[in-house]
Amino acid sequence: MNTKGSPLLTTRFTEELRNQNLRTWEAAVGHQFVKELFDGSIDDTVMAGYLTQDYRFLDAFLALIGAAVASADTLEARLTLARFAGEVAGDENTYFQHSFDTLGVTEELRRETPNTAATTGFQALFREAADTREYAAILSVLVVAEWLYLDWATRVSHPRPTDPVHADWITLHDYPGFHELVAFLRAELDRVGPQDRDTAGDFFGRAVDLELAFFDAAYAHPLTEAGREVVR
Ligand SMILES: Cc1ncc(C[n+]2csc(CCO)c2C)c(N)n1
């Protein structure tokens, strides 16, 4: 028996959700983007486009964490989520600024680059989840965004690439605090999700679909060298 009094061998709720989306989940975690990030062969135009879109993702994501802080049902959870928001606003933002400089992605170019459908889809999903004001719905989206990234970053045992733009993107999704964060978010969804099964399953599934679409979009919409200021 575990602490909730369930038999040990029952599947965790978050595991169940992942199993329901396993094909798409595996396609995202084993994506060409992940392979090329680890072996350092990813094209700068692909990385520049990906990070330009992901910075918009980060903005909407921070708003979603705010909704999680507002809807959490315990002080402990609220404190953890608030600290998480602080981290996202710190280290993650620094990585983006350094990488845009290295890849020659100017603010102007970022302004002129339209959203891909996946970015717009994520922004809409984040807003929809936040607007439910339901902790389980919000957590379902947060769990996918964090757990799927932890999964790809930890699954491959290859040595880290040497380029900091590549290596630091992996490290941001595989350090002890991030493992703890994913453990916390999953435990929270395991706790509150089963009371809200349909909503949780709906938001979780749509988030997994978008994660795969987001990787695909990086190859469909590279930021061409002509548009960038520094071509390395
Ligand atoms: C498409 C996409 N999905 C998930 C993440 C992962 N992620 C999103 S915000 C954030 C900050 C918390 O550490 C992390 C890790 C991403 N970057 N881009």
Side-chain angles (χ1 to χ4, degrees), residues 173-193:
H173 301 99
D174 179 18
Y175 66 96
F178 191 64
H179 285 249
E180 284 166 28
L181 173 73
V182 172
F184 161 78
L185 291 171
R186 286 191 59 194
E188 286 292 273
L189 188 55
D190 287 337
R191 180 173 68 80
V192 304

Side-chain angles (χ1 to χ4, degrees), residues 119-186:
T119 301
T120 300
F122 263 125
Q123 289 173 342
L125 185 69
F126 290 166
R127 184 168 296 259
E128 187 185 334
D131 285 350
T132 66
R133 297 174 166 234
E134 279 181 50
Y135 191 35
I138 295 165
L139 278 172
S140 300
V141 178
L142 290 178
V143 164
V144 171
E146 303 298 274
W147 186 19
L148 191 144
Y149 267 55
L150 176 74
D151 197 3
W152 70 246
T154 53
R155 215 180 263 202
V156 191
S157 58
H158 296 321
R160 291 283 157 94
T162 48
D163 186 334
V165 172
H166 305 153
D168 293 350
W169 191 239
I170 298 168
T171 304
L172 269 171
H173 301 99
D174 179 18
Y175 66 96
F178 191 64
H179 285 249
E180 284 166 28
L181 173 73
V182 172
F184 161 78
L185 291 171
R186 286 191 59 194

Side-chain angles (χ1 to χ4, degrees), residues 50-171:
Y50 171 85
L51 291 178
T52 298
Q53 298 297 323
D54 211 60
Y55 197 60
R56 290 178 200 158
F57 174 102
L58 182 68
D59 176 57
F61 192 78
L62 208 42
L64 185 66
I65 301 173
V69 173
S71 65
D73 57 349
T74 65
L75 171 63
E76 205 186 337
R78 229 186 284 285
L79 288 169
T80 303
L81 290 161
R83 276 192 293 270
F84 172 36
E87 284 164 22
V88 174
D91 283 359
E92 188 108 356
N93 199 50
T94 309
Y95 166 82
F96 278 100
Q97 297 311 326
H98 280 153
S99 298
F100 288 141
D101 288 347
T102 308
L103 295 169
V105 179
T106 60
E107 274 189 56
E108 190 193 2
L109 178 58
R110 284 197 280 124
R111 253 199 320 275
E112 286 169 358
T113 302
N115 276 1
T116 65
T119 301
T120 300
F122 263 125
Q123 289 173 342
L125 185 69
F126 290 166
R127 184 168 296 259
E128 187 185 334
D131 285 350
T132 66
R133 297 174 166 234
E134 279 181 50
Y135 191 35
I138 295 165
L139 278 172
S140 300
V141 178
L142 290 178
V143 164
V144 171
E146 303 298 274
W147 186 19
L148 191 144
Y149 267 55
L150 176 74
D151 197 3
W152 70 246
T154 53
R155 215 180 263 202
V156 191
S157 58
H158 296 321
R160 291 283 157 94
T162 48
D163 186 334
V165 172
H166 305 153
D168 293 350
W169 191 239
I170 298 168
T171 304

